Amino acid sequence: MARGIEAATVDEYLERMPEPFGSSLRVVRDRLVAAIPDVEQVISYRVPIFTYRGHGLVGLSATSTQCSLLLMSPPAAKALAGMLDEGTLKGATLHFDPAHPLSESTIQRIVALRIHELDAR
């Protein structure tokens, strides 16, 4: 499976994502939407991107074996190294098993860090 899927909206992307990836990414999407103030959901580079104040905050995708939360920030990934109880950080991407969507607490920790980064600009 390619990282991106041809879709015009995030909902369409998730509908086209094969199972069990689609269900897992929907759970994470819902948690992101709840955690990001005034979030906008867009498709960029063929993946869902969640924006904060007009800037990309995080994104979602999947490989053939796992789901991914795109942190879109190497400094954020470095700051989170060793601090997360779930998933595996590789570069600026947090990979997770589709059977175990990222928890609300992990999402909130990541979103808070990324918002702090963007607000500091």
Side-chain angles (χ1 to χ4, degrees):
M1 169 188 337
R3 289 178 60 99
I5 291 176
E6 289 295 329
T9 66
V10 173
D11 285 330
E12 185 179 348
Y13 177 95
L14 295 173
E15 288 169 12
R16 292 182 176 182
M17 180 65 63
E19 292 302 330
F21 306 98
S23 294
S24 184
L25 292 177
R26 274 189 284 283
V27 168
V28 173
R29 184 269 311 264
D30 292 347
R31 291 175 177 165
L32 287 167
V33 168
I36 303 168
D38 300 319
V39 66
E40 288 189 41
Q41 302 175 60
V42 299
I43 297 291
S44 183
Y45 295 98
R46 296 178 46 185
V47 297
I49 301 294
F50 300 84
T51 67
Y52 167 75
R53 295 186 177 172
H55 298 282
L57 194 72
V58 294
L60 289 176
S61 68
T63 67
S64 61
T65 59
Q66 39 192 345
C67 293
S68 302
L69 180 67
L70 313 170
L71 302 180
M72 301 173 63
S73 167
K78 185 175 179 180
L80 290 165
M83 296 182 64
L84 301 176
D85 298 331
E86 56 191 326
T88 303
L89 271 172
K90 290 184 184 173
T93 302
L94 180 61
H95 300 283
F96 57 99
D97 187 301
H100 304 285
L102 296 173
S103 67
E104 287 180 30
S105 62
T106 294
I107 295 293
Q108 289 170 351
R109 174 179 269 175
I110 292 167
V111 166
L113 177 63
R114 289 291 290 127
I115 285 174
H116 178 73
E117 273 187 332
L118 290 178
D119 283 346
R121 287 184 181 177

Short mmCIF file of all heavy atoms in Angstrom, two decimals, residues 52 54-56 72-73 75 114-121:
data_model
loop_
_atom_site.label_atom_id
_atom_site.label_comp_id
_atom_site.label_asym_id
_atom_site.label_seq_id
_atom_site.Cartn_x
_atom_site.Cartn_y
_atom_site.Cartn_z
N TYR A 52 -3.38 23.74 12.42
CA TYR A 52 -3.61 24.61 13.56
C TYR A 52 -3.17 26.00 13.13
O TYR A 52 -2.01 26.20 12.72
CB TYR A 52 -2.77 24.11 14.75
CG TYR A 52 -2.67 25.07 15.90
CD1 TYR A 52 -3.75 25.27 16.76
CD2 TYR A 52 -1.50 25.76 16.15
CE1 TYR A 52 -3.65 26.15 17.83
CE2 TYR A 52 -1.39 26.64 17.22
CZ TYR A 52 -2.47 26.83 18.05
OH TYR A 52 -2.38 27.70 19.11
N GLY A 54 -3.68 27.54 10.46
CA GLY A 54 -3.23 27.55 9.09
C GLY A 54 -1.93 26.81 8.81
O GLY A 54 -1.46 26.81 7.68
N HIS A 55 -1.36 26.18 9.81
CA HIS A 55 -0.10 25.45 9.64
C HIS A 55 -0.30 23.97 9.91
O HIS A 55 -1.03 23.59 10.84
CB HIS A 55 0.97 25.99 10.60
CG HIS A 55 1.30 27.42 10.38
ND1 HIS A 55 2.11 27.85 9.35
CD2 HIS A 55 0.90 28.54 11.03
CE1 HIS A 55 2.22 29.16 9.39
NE2 HIS A 55 1.48 29.61 10.39
N GLY A 56 0.35 23.13 9.12
CA GLY A 56 0.27 21.69 9.34
C GLY A 56 0.82 21.32 10.70
O GLY A 56 1.93 21.71 11.06
N MET A 72 5.68 15.79 11.55
CA MET A 72 6.01 16.97 10.75
C MET A 72 7.01 17.89 11.44
O MET A 72 7.05 19.09 11.17
CB MET A 72 4.72 17.73 10.37
CG MET A 72 3.76 16.87 9.57
SD MET A 72 2.14 17.59 9.25
CE MET A 72 2.59 19.00 8.26
N SER A 73 7.82 17.32 12.34
CA SER A 73 8.79 18.12 13.07
C SER A 73 9.86 17.22 13.67
O SER A 73 9.62 16.55 14.67
CB SER A 73 8.10 18.90 14.19
OG SER A 73 9.05 19.43 15.08
N PRO A 75 12.41 18.16 15.45
CA PRO A 75 12.64 18.54 16.85
C PRO A 75 11.59 17.95 17.81
O PRO A 75 11.91 17.55 18.92
CB PRO A 75 12.59 20.07 16.84
CG PRO A 75 12.97 20.44 15.44
CD PRO A 75 12.38 19.35 14.58
N ARG A 114 3.41 20.05 19.66
CA ARG A 114 3.41 20.67 18.33
C ARG A 114 2.79 22.06 18.36
O ARG A 114 3.28 22.98 17.72
CB ARG A 114 2.69 19.76 17.33
CG ARG A 114 3.46 18.51 16.98
CD ARG A 114 4.70 18.82 16.15
NE ARG A 114 4.26 19.26 14.83
CZ ARG A 114 4.64 20.40 14.25
NH1 ARG A 114 5.50 21.21 14.82
NH2 ARG A 114 4.16 20.73 13.06
N ILE A 115 1.71 22.25 19.13
CA ILE A 115 1.09 23.58 19.25
C ILE A 115 2.09 24.54 19.89
O ILE A 115 2.24 25.68 19.44
CB ILE A 115 -0.23 23.51 20.04
CG1 ILE A 115 -1.32 22.90 19.14
CG2 ILE A 115 -0.65 24.89 20.54
CD1 ILE A 115 -2.64 22.65 19.84
N HIS A 116 2.78 24.09 20.92
CA HIS A 116 3.79 24.94 21.57
C HIS A 116 4.87 25.34 20.56
O HIS A 116 5.28 26.50 20.52
CB HIS A 116 4.41 24.20 22.76
CG HIS A 116 5.48 24.98 23.44
ND1 HIS A 116 5.22 26.07 24.23
CD2 HIS A 116 6.82 24.84 23.41
CE1 HIS A 116 6.36 26.57 24.66
NE2 HIS A 116 7.35 25.84 24.18
N GLU A 117 5.31 24.40 19.74
CA GLU A 117 6.30 24.71 18.69
C GLU A 117 5.81 25.78 17.74
O GLU A 117 6.52 26.74 17.44
CB GLU A 117 6.60 23.45 17.86
CG GLU A 117 7.67 22.57 18.38
CD GLU A 117 7.99 21.46 17.37
OE1 GLU A 117 7.12 21.06 16.59
OE2 GLU A 117 9.14 21.02 17.41
N LEU A 118 4.58 25.59 17.25
CA LEU A 118 4.04 26.55 16.27
C LEU A 118 3.78 27.91 16.91
O LEU A 118 4.01 28.94 16.27
CB LEU A 118 2.78 26.00 15.62
CG LEU A 118 3.00 24.82 14.66
CD1 LEU A 118 1.69 24.32 14.11
CD2 LEU A 118 3.94 25.18 13.54
N ASP A 119 3.29 27.93 18.14
CA ASP A 119 3.03 29.20 18.81
C ASP A 119 4.32 29.96 19.11
O ASP A 119 4.31 31.19 19.18
CB ASP A 119 2.25 28.99 20.10
CG ASP A 119 0.77 28.71 19.87
OD1 ASP A 119 0.29 28.93 18.73
OD2 ASP A 119 0.10 28.26 20.82
N ALA A 120 5.43 29.26 19.26
CA ALA A 120 6.71 29.89 19.57
C ALA A 120 7.34 30.55 18.35
O ALA A 120 8.28 31.34 18.49
CB ALA A 120 7.68 28.85 20.15
N ARG A 121 6.83 30.26 17.16
CA ARG A 121 7.40 30.84 15.93
C ARG A 121 7.18 32.33 15.85
O ARG A 121 6.28 32.93 16.12
CB ARG A 121 6.79 30.20 14.67
CG ARG A 121 7.29 28.82 14.46
CD ARG A 121 6.71 28.32 13.16
NE ARG A 121 7.15 26.96 12.90
CZ ARG A 121 6.76 26.25 11.87
NH1 ARG A 121 5.91 26.76 11.02
NH2 ARG A 121 7.20 25.04 11.68
#
